Amino acid sequence: MNHLNNHKTFGLFLALLLFAVSPSQGQTPKQQWQYTVTPQPEKKGVHVQLRLSGETEKSILFKLPVWTPGYYQLMDFAKNVSNFKATDGNGKMLEWKQNANAWTVDHSSNSGVTLDYDVKTDRNFVGGNFIDQDHMFLSPAGIFLHGSTIKQPVTVTINPYTGWTKLASGMDYLKSDTTTYTAPDFDILYDSPILMGKLETLPGFKIKGIPHNFIGYDMGNFDRIRFMGDLKKIIESGIAVIGDIPYKHYTFLSIGAGGGGIEHLNSTAVTFKGSGLETSRGRLKVYNFLAHEYFHHYNVKRIRPIELGPFDYDKENPTELLWVSEGFSVYYEYLMVHRAGLSTPEELIDHLRDNLMAYENKPGHLYQSVTQSSFQTWTYGPSVKKEDADKTISYYDKGPILGLMLDMKIRQETNNKKSLDDVMRTLYKQYYKKLRRGFTSQEFRTVCEQVAGTDLNEFFSYATTTTAPNYIKYFAYAGLDIDVKSTKFEIKRVLKPTPLQQKIYVSIFGASK
């Protein structure tokens, strides 16, 4: 995220240079979409104006997404829109009609169209929109209407608000106007949340010359130098998995209190309070959470199931592979923190055992496979209804256990020469870098089997069915003994590990301190 010393109203601004290239680069766009957002804390909302110029149809369709990428639930953003008004370039009122998340505006001239509307912003959540007297967080999918094509360049100007001196977003800003951001298309716009207000910027750092920053609201008291030093180690361990940094700048956007975290191409929106760092257990929880959201810029945003982009913003985008996208990211959050030297082998094992118990000690594991859990998340959501709780599972619980088992299996079959890291690197290079698309379930399995050098039918049956995993067999690859007869699933090292068991254990868990 770039830093700019600005003595105007906004003071310090942060902006991120996006990796994406507009499909219309080098061409003159037929339309110009220019948005202006005016914060209105006193009304618990924002006023939005769109000035559309250039070639237009007589009947123009505008749409608001029904969900936001990274949060796999339908969200009725349209219900928050009010006071919708459309005028032509001469100020004449235009007729319009609304149907669900779409507005159709009748336009008989070529004089341009201006839309004005208000958006209620009262959901303090990383996938929602919120404003109070001290700050504003905008999830663009719930704010900005798109037209008949997503591949349309757009600019967004944020009007100043008294006392708010900082602004942050994933978009690049115009060099001539640091209150105006640009996006090459709506996919990038919707992937670039906006944070503004009385914010604090923590001491940033660079990795291979690339700036990494943390900006947030109401973060509390904690050792900022130590925190950012530890965060650098965590990010470095994540980068080491893939061996490539695909962005020009990266930032953590902390919205203060609220809920959750959502990943983006070169940023992540998170809830963060420094008080969580006061105990060793709390510190690990915070570090794991931030590592998870960071690793998503690889695993989801770039290493992704084929269903997760390009998106259909009008309906659900289900996939059976969230146990990989989310579950493996849980596994890697633990590995990143551990490889950064910030957790012990015992703590790493305890984290994984917690996931295993959460999965095994609920009756849902007898009814729902992890691929079904993934595909049906649009129905059940992150907060499962009480009447469905006993027949569902979470891919956040089973996913990391399958990640561990696959890692140990690959190491076993290759004499510890290959690992799950090789799978992730292959997916990144083959599908993101080379083919520039997501992968299918079969393609994912093929890569895993190629890296392992063997058939993985048994392993994948644990994902696609409710077959009980053979924990004893897989954990033994790393010289671990697991008590499957107890609800606590105690995990201990075997007394006399073989040389291969010892190598696999040390490669994953490291030597005990």
Side-chain angles (χ1 to χ4, degrees):
M1 181 171 279
N2 292 329
H3 290 262
L4 180 69
N5 293 319
N6 189 334
H7 300 289
K8 297 180 181 180
T9 307
F10 275 86
L12 176 66
F13 288 85
L14 297 178
L16 299 169
L17 180 63
L18 298 168
F19 86 99
V21 178
S22 169
S24 60
Q25 185 173 352
Q27 305 174 15
T28 302
K30 295 182 179 180
Q31 294 181 344
Q32 291 78 48
W33 289 58
Q34 299 172 306
Y35 278 99
T36 301
V37 177
T38 303
Q40 296 179 324
E42 65 283 356
K43 296 182 179 180
K44 296 183 179 180
V46 297
H47 179 75
V48 182
Q49 182 178 86
L50 165 64
R51 297 181 65 86
L52 171 58
S53 58
E55 299 178 11
T56 58
E57 302 291 334
K58 290 186 177 181
S59 182
I60 310 174
L61 182 66
F62 299 94
K63 286 186 175 182
L64 201 61
V66 300
W67 70 291
T68 183
Y71 187 66
Y72 310 112
Q73 284 290 281
L74 295 179
M75 302 174 72
D76 189 4
F77 289 126
K79 73 178 181 181
N80 296 320
V81 176
S82 63
N83 301 321
F84 188 92
K85 181 177 70 173
T87 58
D88 66 13
N90 299 314
K92 178 184 177 182
M93 298 293 293
L94 299 175
E95 296 291 328
W96 59 272
K97 58 183 178 181
Q98 181 184 359
N99 181 19
N101 67 314
W103 287 258
T104 303
V105 176
D106 293 329
H107 182 233
S108 59
S109 70
N110 231 353
S111 59
V113 174
T114 297
L115 302 184
D116 284 275
Y117 56 93
D118 295 324
V119 182
K120 182 172 64 174
T121 55
D122 61 353
R123 187 179 183 189
N124 195 9
F125 169 59
V126 289
N129 295 284
F130 182 78
I131 195 170
D132 62 17
Q133 289 297 323
D134 294 323
H135 79 300
M136 172 182 75
F137 177 77
L138 299 182
S139 180
I143 299 292
F144 302 106
L145 296 162
H146 68 80
S148 59
T149 177
I150 296 297
K151 299 301 179 182
Q152 168 65 50
V154 61
T155 64
V156 175
T157 298
I158 309 295
N159 280 334
Y161 186 78
T162 303
W164 292 8
T165 58
K166 296 182 181 180
L167 175 68
S169 177
M171 289 176 282
D172 189 23
Y173 60 81
L174 290 179
K175 293 182 178 180
S176 59
D177 181 2
T178 54
T179 68
T180 299
Y181 290 114
T182 65
D185 55 46
F186 278 89
D187 282 322
I188 299 301
L189 174 62
Y190 293 152
D191 192 58
S192 304
I194 299 168
L195 181 64
M196 180 184 179
K198 299 176 180 178
L199 310 178
E200 177 187 0
T201 304
L202 301 185
F205 54 83
K206 291 184 178 181
I207 299 176
K208 297 183 179 179
I210 295 176
H212 294 73
N213 293 279
F214 199 111
I215 183 169
Y217 169 73
D218 190 26
M219 293 187 282
N221 297 319
F222 59 99
D223 187 334
R224 283 147 170 78
I225 301 299
R226 176 185 177 182
F227 170 70
M228 291 301 286
D230 287 347
L231 186 61
K232 181 181 180 182
K233 296 175 185 177
I234 293 169
I235 291 178
E236 286 175 331
S237 70
I239 292 171
V241 175
I242 305 301
D244 183 47
I245 305 178
Y247 50 80
K248 300 296 184 182
H249 305 274
Y250 192 91
T251 194
F252 291 85
L253 301 169
S254 172
I255 70 171
I262 291 183
E263 67 280 353
H264 303 284
L265 281 169
N266 52 5
S267 68
T268 183
V270 298
T271 55
F272 170 82
K273 292 290 289 186
S275 57
L277 302 169
E278 293 175 353
T279 65
S280 59
R281 185 176 180 84
R283 188 161 52 249
L284 278 182
K285 183 177 180 180
V286 172
Y287 287 173
N288 287 338
F289 168 58
L290 296 177
H292 179 96
E293 298 305 328
Y294 174 79
F295 194 71
H296 266 323
H297 89 80
Y298 289 124
N299 190 30
V300 166
K301 299 307 295 184
R302 293 176 173 91
I303 302 170
R304 61 176 176 80
I306 201 164
E307 297 88 354
L308 296 185
F311 295 123
D312 185 335
Y313 294 103
D314 287 332
K315 63 180 183 180
E316 302 94 328
N317 290 237
T319 174
E320 293 186 340
L321 288 173
L322 289 181
W323 65 278
V324 176
S325 297
E326 293 290 349
F328 282 20
S329 292
V330 174
Y331 180 52
Y332 272 101
E333 74 182 62
Y334 302 151
L335 291 184
M336 286 170 60
V337 173
H338 184 61
R339 291 172 180 177
L342 299 171
S343 69
T344 66
E346 294 74 24
E347 287 169 329
L348 174 55
I349 290 175
D350 284 344
H351 288 317
L352 291 161
R353 189 167 65 91
D354 286 343
N355 289 123
L356 196 155
M357 287 191 295
Y359 165 69
E360 286 288 345
N361 292 334
K362 293 179 181 177
H365 75 273
L366 300 173
Y367 297 94
Q368 188 182 50
S369 71
V370 75
T371 54
Q372 290 174 326
S373 172
S374 172
F375 195 83
Q376 295 170 357
T377 190
W378 291 90
T379 300
Y380 291 109
S383 300
V384 178
K385 296 178 182 178
K386 184 177 294 186
E387 59 267 29
D388 298 320
D390 289 344
K391 292 188 177 181
T392 60
I393 64 169
S394 171
Y395 44 79
Y396 286 101
D397 290 328
K398 189 172 184 179
I401 301 305
L402 290 180
L404 170 64
M405 292 172 64
L406 179 57
D407 198 3
M408 293 188 293
K409 175 66 172 177
I410 293 172
R411 292 176 184 276
Q412 169 71 21
E413 295 295 333
T414 64
N415 197 32
N416 203 41
K417 293 179 180 178
K418 296 289 183 67
S419 70
L420 187 59
D421 289 1
D422 292 282
V423 170
M424 304 307 286
R425 281 192 290 267
T426 301
L427 293 170
Y428 180 82
K429 292 175 182 178
Q430 176 68 16
Y431 294 98
Y432 169 66
K433 298 285 283 186
K434 182 179 179 181
L435 298 178
R436 303 199 66 79
R437 66 170 175 85
F439 47 81
T440 66
S441 295
Q442 183 56 53
E443 288 169 336
F444 171 71
R445 175 171 175 167
T446 296
V447 169
C448 291
E449 292 182 335
Q450 287 174 344
V451 171
T454 188
D455 175 84
L456 294 174
N457 186 62
E458 179 185 78
F459 169 79
F460 278 95
S461 71
Y462 300 147
T464 58
T465 73
T466 57
T467 301
N470 190 342
Y471 297 124
I472 294 176
K473 172 184 174 181
Y474 282 77
F475 278 58
Y477 293 149
L480 295 173
D481 182 28
I482 180 170
D483 183 1
V484 297
K485 295 180 180 180
S486 168
T487 57
K488 294 184 178 180
F489 291 88
E490 295 289 347
I491 300 172
K492 298 179 180 179
R493 297 191 67 183
V494 298
L495 293 178
K496 295 182 179 181
T498 68
L500 180 56
Q501 286 177 323
Q502 177 67 10
K503 285 197 297 184
I504 293 175
Y505 177 86
V506 172
S507 294
I508 297 175
F509 301 101
S512 296
K513 297 180 180 179

